[in-house]
Amino acid sequence: MSLKIRLARAGTKKRPVYHIVIADSRAPRDGRFIERLGHFNPLLPKDKTQRLNLDLDKVKAWLAKGARPTDRVLRFLDQAGVMKREKRNNPTRAVPRKERKAQAEEAAKAAAAPKPAAPAAAPAAAPPTDAAPAGGAPAS
């Protein structure tokens, strides 16, 4: 059983509040969970302490048992100093979609096109078919 520390949505329409829960990875997002570890209210300003509430002792205990946090929860744990989140790098994200598509098409054409043969220094003349044997001995 693969355990995830993830967000489960609660609250009303257009007023989301998320519970931070430990759940089986196969369970639905808002479905069955094992234990509630805290809550997150994205509507509050970032400087408010009520925006995020986590029971770090429970989180550490579940991490020791092998639970894996989702990316958003990993950000929260990084802010709290529990886990380190590696910075991601997606250089193509800044390129507009049309340009990315054009670059992909050019790359596909370049891969499909036959590559020209490398030029040789001086191509040797092909020996005639009735030439001497390869041993170097003259034909008699």
Side-chain angles (χ1 to χ4, degrees), residues 5-140:
I5 302 174
R6 65 183 184 198
L7 299 177
R9 187 179 164 131
T12 60
K13 182 177 173 183
K14 298 186 180 181
R15 307 284 298 171
V17 174
Y18 295 93
H19 296 178
I20 301 169
V21 297
I22 181 81
D24 183 4
S25 64
R26 298 168 292 183
R29 179 192 72 177
D30 302 335
R32 193 177 70 196
F33 62 90
I34 298 169
E35 186 175 6
R36 190 171 153 195
L37 306 175
H39 67 272
F40 170 62
N41 187 351
L43 299 178
L44 292 177
K46 292 185 179 182
D47 57 348
K48 291 259 187 176
T49 58
Q50 296 90 11
R51 180 178 166 95
L52 176 66
N53 180 16
L54 265 174
D55 188 349
L56 294 178
D57 294 332
K58 288 182 182 179
V59 170
K60 289 177 185 175
W62 280 107
L63 288 173
K65 293 177 186 175
R68 309 275 302 167
T70 59
D71 187 54
R72 176 57 54 183
V73 174
L74 187 58
R75 288 174 185 252
F76 297 150
L77 297 178
D78 188 26
Q79 287 176 349
V82 176
M83 286 185 79
K84 180 72 176 142
R85 179 180 175 270
E86 295 298 323
K87 186 147 178 81
R88 295 184 177 185
N89 184 16
N90 186 1
T92 60
R93 183 173 180 228
V95 178
R97 182 180 218 159
K98 289 182 181 179
E99 291 180 24
R100 270 187 295 185
K101 195 172 183 181
Q103 289 174 356
E105 288 174 0
E106 289 175 14
K109 286 180 184 177
K115 295 183 179 179
T129 55
D130 58 300
S140 41

